[in-house]
Amino acid sequence: MIKYVDPIPPILRFFKSRTDYHIDANTFQSNISEGLLVRSAGGIGFSRIQLIYRASEESEAMSKLINCINLLESQAAFIQGLRIQWCERDSNPIPSRDEDTQKPEAWCYMRLEHLEA
């Protein structure tokens, strides 16, 4: 039996090693005005991950989120600590605004199929 592994820490290390973005897990730090948030969003037998990028401009949030999506889809096999079988967008990127800060954000769901799910 393969034990469950929380996919968030390996994904954070993956993005930190490949981008210069500020990256948080599960919730943004209170003083963050720009950066990537990676959090779990469910899944049984796979991991659904929500990526949220916050920026000062809507177009920048969308552009940087799309960079993160493309990076994760194309290089997921190189995430250390997870044995990824497949990675794909589970939704198209959606623009939004953070309710507390009113900063523009863009988000989407990603589906990660890995043996440890």
Side-chain angles (χ1 to χ4, degrees):
M1 181 175 130
I2 297 173
K3 293 183 180 181
Y4 175 79
V5 172
D6 179 1
I8 301 302
I11 293 169
L12 289 179
R13 288 189 299 271
F14 169 81
F15 279 120
K16 285 181 180 181
S17 71
R18 287 169 170 76
T19 70
D20 60 353
Y21 302 156
H22 174 86
I23 303 169
D24 283 325
N26 298 315
T27 57
F28 277 114
Q29 295 174 25
S30 60
N31 62 341
I32 295 305
S33 60
E34 182 172 336
L36 177 67
L37 177 69
V38 180
R39 67 178 172 192
S40 293
I44 296 177
F46 67 95
S47 294
R48 178 171 289 119
I49 304 299
Q50 186 179 30
L51 300 180
I52 304 172
Y53 200 94
R54 180 181 292 171
S56 57
E57 299 289 330
E58 186 177 300
S59 61
E60 182 181 16
M62 186 64 78
S63 173
K64 289 189 174 177
L65 175 67
I66 290 170
N67 288 342
C68 292
I69 292 167
N70 290 336
L71 181 64
L72 189 58
E73 280 185 330
S74 67
Q75 297 186 20
F78 300 106
I79 297 174
Q80 294 182 6
L82 294 176
R83 291 175 281 178
I84 302 287
Q85 297 171 306
W86 186 254
C87 176
E88 67 183 353
R89 276 181 298 115
D90 214 20
S91 70
N92 283 331
I94 298 170
S96 65
R97 221 168 249 288
D98 178 61
E99 292 177 9
D100 296 328
T101 65
Q102 294 304 308
K103 291 279 186 183
E105 295 180 339
W107 62 273
C108 81
Y109 292 113
M110 303 292 293
R111 180 185 178 106
L112 269 67
E113 296 180 13
H114 55 102
L115 295 179
E116 304 82 3

